[in-house]
Amino acid sequence: MSNQVMRSVRLSRLVSRAKFVLSSLVILIGLLMGVLAIALCADMPTFAGYFEPELSRVAAIALLGFTSVVASIIALRQPRTASFIFLSAAPIVGACFAWWLRFPFSEYEISLRRVVLVFTGTSLLLLIPGAYWLATSRAGWASVIPKQREQTHWPLFIGIVLFVLCLFFGLIGSLYVDNKGYADCKPFPASFTPRFPDHVVFVGGVLLNGNPSHPLCLLRVRQRFWGLPRWLPFAILRGCFDARDGSEYFVDARRSQGLITHSLPLVDRYPCSHAAPIDRAAADLRVLKDGPPKSGVRIIGTVHMDLSRTSEPARGVEVIITGPSGSTRTMTDQQGVYDTEGLPEGHYSVRVGPRGLCRDWHCSSCDAEGDVKSGQVWGAGLIDYAARRARP
C-alpha cells in the first residue's frame, strides 16, 4: 500500500512539474514574441519624415508586442486575468492588420478571403495563449508563481524587471531590424535647406565604428547645420559603411521616425543619401556655406576616380553640362568639384568628357540628368575611370 502511495505522490509531482514547465514555456514564448514585436515596431515610420507613416501596422504590432509582454508577465501569478487580456486584444490586433491591407503598395488585390485570412492568422497569435490560460485556470492548474496569503511586493518587482528587460531587448533588436518603410531611391543634389521633416545634416567625428555587417557609428557633433537639437553633443548613425575611427564624416540623414527610437539621438541614412567621409563631401559643404544661387541655377558636383577602391578626386577633368542654352564645358578643381552658376532653368545633364565613363555614384539606378528651376542647385557625383587608368 505504501508503494502505491509513493507512486501516486511521484506521479503527482511529475504532473505538477510538467504543468510548471509547460506554463513557463508558454510564458517564455509570449515574452519572446513581445520582444520581437517591440523590435519591429520601435523603428517603424510613425512620425512625419522621409517615409510615409504606417500607423495601422505600427498600432497592430505595438499592441501585439505590449499585450504579449504584459499578459505573459501577469500570467505568472494570475492566469485568468492574462487570458482576458489576450482574448480581448486578439480581434483588435487582427482588425489593425486587416486594415493595413488598404495601403497602395500591396501587391495583391484586396478580397474578402484575404482579409479574413489575415484577420484570423494574426488574431490566433493572441487567441492561442489566451485559450491556454483560460483552460488551465478553469482546470485548477497552479500558477507559475504561487499565490501567498501574506502580502509581498516581490512579484510586482519581478514583473517590472521583466517588462523593462523586454523593452530594453526590443529596443536593442530594433537597431538591427531593417524595417524602415517604403520609398524609391531618388538622386538628390547638394542641399542648402532641409528636404523633408526631421532632415539632419552635420559634420561629426567618428568615435566608434561598429560591426561592418550592421554599421553603427558613434559620432561627436563638430559642425551642425540643421536637424539636431543644440544640446545634443553626440549622435548614432546607422549606415556608416565606410567610416574610420578618428575620421570626420559628413552626415546627410534623417531622424528616426520610429515609435520609440524617435526620442533617441539616432539618425539613419536614407536612399541616395550623400552621407560619406568628409573628403567626398566637398560639393555639399560648399553649397551649405554659399546658400542658394543669387540668380539662375547652379550645377555642382564631384568627380572621383573610383569610389570602390579609392575616394581620390579626379582633378583637372573636363565635365560637359548640357542644358537649354547648349553645352558648357568646365574643369574640376583640386577637390574634384565642377561648379557653374547663373545658368537658365530647364532640363540639364552632366557627364565626364570624352575620355571617361560617367555615372551617378549616390544611386546606381539613376542617371545624371534632371529638371532644375531658377534658384535651385543640381548636380551629381561622377566617376572618371579613364583618369584612374591614366594615373602613373
Side-chain angles (χ1 to χ4, degrees), residues 140-169:
W141 287 23
S143 56
V144 175
I145 298 180
K147 295 182 180 180
Q148 299 178 351
R149 292 182 180 179
E150 59 274 10
Q151 282 294 107
T152 59
H153 298 290
W154 67 269
L156 177 62
F157 176 75
I158 291 176
I160 293 174
V161 170
L162 284 175
F163 183 77
V164 172
L165 287 176
C166 289
L167 284 180
F168 174 76
F169 286 114

Side-chain angles (χ1 to χ4, degrees), residues 45-53 180 182-183 195-199 253-258 262 270:
T46 307
F47 300 92
Y50 183 84
F51 297 109
E52 287 292 329
K180 308 301 186 299
Y182 301 86
R195 297 193 184 104
F196 46 83
D198 280 339
H199 185 202
R254 61 179 181 88
R255 288 284 300 276
S256 176
Q257 297 176 238
H262 184 75
Y270 55 89

Side-chain angles (χ1 to χ4, degrees), residues 326-373:
S327 296
T328 301
R329 297 174 182 268
T330 184
M331 305 295 289
T332 59
D333 58 18
Q334 289 300 307
Q335 293 181 301
V337 176
Y338 61 91
D339 189 0
T340 303
E341 292 189 73
L343 299 174
E345 65 177 31
H347 186 82
Y348 282 89
S349 65
V350 292
R351 66 180 179 88
V352 177
R355 294 186 304 113
L357 172 66
C358 164
R359 77 177 185 186
D360 179 10
W361 61 271
H362 290 311
C363 182
S364 59
S365 64
C366 308
D367 56 18
E369 62 177 283
D371 295 316
V372 194
K373 295 182 179 180

Side-chain angles (χ1 to χ4, degrees), residues 81-382:
T81 304
S83 69
F84 174 76
I85 296 174
F86 274 118
L87 296 176
S88 299
I92 302 175
V93 170
C96 288
F97 274 105
W99 180 250
W100 181 45
L101 293 178
R102 82 190 193 284
F103 273 76
F105 52 74
S106 177
E107 299 177 359
Y108 305 95
E109 182 180 354
I110 299 177
S111 62
L112 179 61
R113 178 175 176 272
R114 180 169 172 78
V115 170
V116 171
L117 286 175
V118 171
F119 176 84
T120 304
T122 52
S123 298
L124 284 174
L125 295 174
L126 298 180
L127 285 174
I128 292 174
Y132 173 84
W133 293 119
L134 181 61
T136 54
S137 63
R138 287 186 174 180
W141 287 23
S143 56
V144 175
I145 298 180
K147 295 182 180 180
Q148 299 178 351
R149 292 182 180 179
E150 59 274 10
Q151 282 294 107
T152 59
H153 298 290
W154 67 269
L156 177 62
F157 176 75
I158 291 176
I160 293 174
V161 170
L162 284 175
F163 183 77
V164 172
L165 287 176
C166 289
L167 284 180
F168 174 76
F169 286 114
L171 182 59
I172 295 299
S174 70
L175 300 179
Y176 299 94
V177 175
D178 186 13
N179 195 7
K180 308 301 186 299
Y182 301 86
D184 295 329
C185 182
K186 300 176 182 178
F188 294 105
S191 61
F192 49 85
T193 56
R195 297 193 184 104
F196 46 83
D198 280 339
H199 185 202
V200 176
V201 174
F202 68 93
V203 174
V206 180
L207 300 178
L208 182 64
N209 190 11
N211 188 343
S213 60
H214 298 287
L216 295 171
C217 290
L218 176 63
L219 300 105
R220 182 179 182 86
V221 181
R222 294 182 177 174
Q223 184 180 10
R224 67 185 73 226
F225 296 98
W226 61 73
L228 282 182
R230 293 194 173 275
W231 55 266
L232 194 63
F234 302 97
I236 298 174
L237 171 64
R238 286 191 288 191
C240 47
F241 301 98
D242 40 13
R244 301 181 301 274
D245 290 348
S247 64
E248 286 195 332
Y249 205 84
F250 176 74
V251 178
D252 173 24
R254 61 179 181 88
R255 288 284 300 276
S256 176
Q257 297 176 238
L259 181 65
I260 299 176
T261 54
H262 184 75
S263 59
L264 301 178
L266 187 67
V267 296
D268 296 291
R269 294 179 69 142
Y270 55 89
C272 295
S273 163
H274 289 204
I278 198 70
D279 55 355
R280 299 185 190 175
D284 294 272
L285 291 173
R286 195 174 297 184
V287 170
L288 287 167
K289 178 182 177 181
D290 297 342
K294 296 178 177 59
S295 63
V297 304
R298 182 179 185 181
I299 307 296
I300 182 173
T302 310
V303 181
H304 287 85
M305 292 186 180
D306 185 355
L307 289 175
S308 62
R309 300 182 182 181
T310 177
S311 60
E312 183 178 349
R315 304 176 181 89
V317 171
E318 183 183 60
V319 176
I320 302 174
I321 303 172
T322 304
S325 58
S327 296
T328 301
R329 297 174 182 268
T330 184
M331 305 295 289
T332 59
D333 58 18
Q334 289 300 307
Q335 293 181 301
V337 176
Y338 61 91
D339 189 0
T340 303
E341 292 189 73
L343 299 174
E345 65 177 31
H347 186 82
Y348 282 89
S349 65
V350 292
R351 66 180 179 88
V352 177
R355 294 186 304 113
L357 172 66
C358 164
R359 77 177 185 186
D360 179 10
W361 61 271
H362 290 311
C363 182
S364 59
S365 64
C366 308
D367 56 18
E369 62 177 283
D371 295 316
V372 194
K373 295 182 179 180
S374 182
Q376 291 184 340
V377 176
W378 183 82
L382 309 175

Side-chain angles (χ1 to χ4, degrees), residues 62-77:
L63 183 59
L64 174 65
F66 283 98
T67 299
S68 298
V69 170
V70 172
S72 296
I73 293 174
I74 292 175
L76 288 168
R77 203 174 188 194

